[in-house]
Amino acid sequence: MKKDLLTISDMTADEIGQLFELTEKLKRERGNQAYKPLSGKSIGLIFAKSSTRTRVSFEVGVSELGGTPLYLDQGKMQVGRGETVADTAKVLSRFLHGIVIRTFSHKDVEELAANASIPVINALTDEFHPCQILADMFTMKEYCGKVEGLKLVFFGDGRSNIANSLVNAAKKIPFELVVTAPEEFRPEEDFIKGYSNISWDPDPLRASKDADFLYTDVWVSMGFEKESEERLKIFQPYQVNDAAVNAAKKSVKFLHCLPAHRDQEVAASVMDSPISIVFDEAENRLHVQKALLSMLFDK
Ligand code: CP
Ligand code: NVA
């Protein structure tokens, strides 16, 4: 049966472990031109939203694995003129071997996957960004040897695609996740209920105590631009700044999925400091996604 990656909940902890093992190997052996599990396969990359990292890392990753990436601007596809998602899935399944999709509605991605006979990877929806968070966990493992037992504090919009996927990750791997956010943007209680390693704290300095990683994301996600004014105000106390860094462990590292806005969600003094590992994190998107593609499409 074909396998999709729509959220991190689609993977078991064992599969995440295997993914990271393969990622390590592919990263180490990037120059090895012989490994071509996607040879003869075409992977469609549908994008309805902007992207730098995700698009480029998937295009390069598919090519390095021997496949052909096809960039498809969703706005130029017939789905934008009323063709159904289900019909689109059935047609693309006749041409392609896999689909990577970045769009607005997570339900559309579920519908696409339900109607496609080929694997579908979620490259970001309004609700989830699993590829990013897999790369983030791999980065944590690279720096600390393991993810289990580490403390990560997420600052800002606790209902964003990044926060939701971090919660899903913490449900699979026992690290401590504290989301520090205003009450209106805290993770839904039902979503984190029953997981003692996941919590919400409205006080960013208290939350940062003993943290191994401080993580933030933009205050205005793609598709939420209409709420910009309100969001830029309400998240102001949740900037990752020197005070937060000083409250954390001495060895703390800073993560950001990027793109970043200096002096909004992160102080420039943190973003551009030695504790910032955001470019290693960005690079790992490529290695993790190559491992994921190998696992899903090498059949
Ligand atoms: N982090 C991330 O997904 O970046 P892009 O929007 O540039 O793809
Ligand atoms: N939450 C951000 C992530 C960007 C990679 C957004 O959806 O715009």
Side-chain angles (χ1 to χ4, degrees), residues 51-54 102 129 132 257-258 285:
S51 174
T52 297
R53 283 143 288 272
T54 308
R102 166 171 288 197
H129 196 3
Q132 177 69 52
C257 54
L258 305 180
R285 295 291 306 279

Side-chain angles (χ1 to χ4, degrees), residues 139-154:
T139 309
M140 290 162 71
K141 186 170 184 286
E142 266 191 328
Y143 272 86
C144 299
K146 61 176 175 48
V147 180
E148 292 82 357
L150 296 172
K151 177 174 176 179
L152 183 146
V153 183
F154 177 81

Side-chain angles (χ1 to χ4, degrees), residues 253-264:
K253 300 280 182 246
F254 172 67
L255 293 167
H256 193 311
C257 54
L258 305 180
H261 298 84
R262 283 172 178 77
D263 296 331
Q264 274 188 26

Side-chain angles (χ1 to χ4, degrees), residues 105-232:
S105 154
H106 191 73
K107 285 211 162 24
D108 282 352
V109 176
E110 287 174 340
E111 198 181 336
L112 186 82
N115 286 280
S117 57
I118 53 177
V120 173
I121 296 179
N122 173 8
L124 180 147
T125 60
D126 288 347
E127 279 179 76
F128 299 104
H129 196 3
C131 296
Q132 177 69 52
I133 278 27
L134 289 169
D136 300 337
M137 285 195 295
F138 179 78
T139 309
M140 290 162 71
K141 186 170 184 286
E142 266 191 328
Y143 272 86
C144 299
K146 61 176 175 48
V147 180
E148 292 82 357
L150 296 172
K151 177 174 176 179
L152 183 146
V153 183
F154 177 81
F155 286 62
D157 181 354
R159 294 180 181 185
S160 68
N161 42 21
I162 295 293
N164 289 340
S165 291
L166 280 169
V167 167
N168 280 340
K171 289 180 179 180
K172 294 284 168 185
I173 300 186
F175 67 94
E176 185 185 352
L177 172 64
V178 182
V179 175
T180 183
E183 181 146 26
E184 305 91 293
F185 290 92
R186 59 161 295 180
E188 302 275 4
E189 264 176 81
D190 273 357
F191 187 42
I192 62 172
K193 200 160 77 194
Y195 290 89
S196 59
N197 61 322
I198 307 173
S199 61
W200 164 67
D201 189 336
D203 180 336
L205 291 187
R206 187 173 59 204
S208 301
K209 194 169 175 306
D210 295 330
D212 296 288
F213 292 92
L214 304 180
Y215 190 151
T216 191
D217 179 19
V218 293
W219 288 341
V220 184
S221 285
M222 292 180 279
F224 294 80
E225 290 78 6
K226 273 202 218 113
E227 300 170 16
S228 288
E229 212 181 299
E230 178 207 344
R231 285 170 165 268
L232 294 185

Side-chain angles (χ1 to χ4, degrees), residues 139 143 152-153 155 212-217 238-241 244-245 251-258 260-262 265-281:
T139 309
Y143 272 86
L152 183 146
V153 183
F155 286 62
D212 296 288
F213 292 92
L214 304 180
Y215 190 151
T216 191
D217 179 19
Y238 295 92
Q239 182 189 72
V240 179
N241 51 28
V245 169
S251 57
V252 70
K253 300 280 182 246
F254 172 67
L255 293 167
H256 193 311
C257 54
L258 305 180
H261 298 84
R262 283 172 178 77
E265 74 274 7
V266 55
S269 58
V270 175
M271 174 73 187
D272 301 315
S273 76
I275 73 155
S276 172
I277 56 170
V278 299
F279 299 112
D280 289 336
E281 180 187 4

Side-chain angles (χ1 to χ4, degrees), residues 6-170:
L6 305 193
T7 72
I8 289 180
S9 313
D10 291 334
M11 295 183 84
T12 63
D14 273 359
E15 284 170 335
I16 296 173
Q18 284 165 29
L19 178 83
F20 289 170
E21 256 174 54
L22 185 56
T23 302
E24 245 160 46
K25 184 173 147 63
L26 292 179
K27 184 168 182 176
R28 207 171 46 240
E29 299 174 2
R30 187 168 176 204
N32 174 3
Q33 298 299 315
Y35 183 63
K36 301 284 183 207
L38 264 59
S39 176
K41 293 186 167 43
S42 297
I43 309 296
L45 311 174
I46 303 175
F47 280 77
K49 291 178 173 177
S50 304
S51 174
T52 297
R53 283 143 288 272
T54 308
R55 175 180 177 177
V56 175
S57 56
F58 267 112
E59 287 205 34
V60 170
V62 170
S63 301
E64 287 187 3
L65 295 173
T68 304
L70 272 98
Y71 176 76
L72 300 162
D73 176 348
Q74 191 179 294
K76 299 270 175 4
M77 293 173 73
Q78 297 289 13
V79 73
R81 297 180 58 251
E83 185 166 25
T84 67
V85 172
D87 288 353
T88 305
K90 287 171 191 163
V91 170
L92 292 181
S93 297
R94 303 287 179 112
F95 301 135
L96 299 168
H97 300 89
I99 299 172
V100 173
I101 178 165
R102 166 171 288 197
T103 193
F104 294 86
S105 154
H106 191 73
K107 285 211 162 24
D108 282 352
V109 176
E110 287 174 340
E111 198 181 336
L112 186 82
N115 286 280
S117 57
I118 53 177
V120 173
I121 296 179
N122 173 8
L124 180 147
T125 60
D126 288 347
E127 279 179 76
F128 299 104
H129 196 3
C131 296
Q132 177 69 52
I133 278 27
L134 289 169
D136 300 337
M137 285 195 295
F138 179 78
T139 309
M140 290 162 71
K141 186 170 184 286
E142 266 191 328
Y143 272 86
C144 299
K146 61 176 175 48
V147 180
E148 292 82 357
L150 296 172
K151 177 174 176 179
L152 183 146
V153 183
F154 177 81
F155 286 62
D157 181 354
R159 294 180 181 185
S160 68
N161 42 21
I162 295 293
N164 289 340
S165 291
L166 280 169
V167 167
N168 280 340

Side-chain angles (χ1 to χ4, degrees), residues 277-295:
I277 56 170
V278 299
F279 299 112
D280 289 336
E281 180 187 4
E283 180 190 326
N284 283 335
R285 295 291 306 279
L286 171 69
H287 307 301
V288 168
Q289 287 161 198
K290 280 175 71 180
L292 184 68
L293 289 162
S294 306
M295 283 169 66

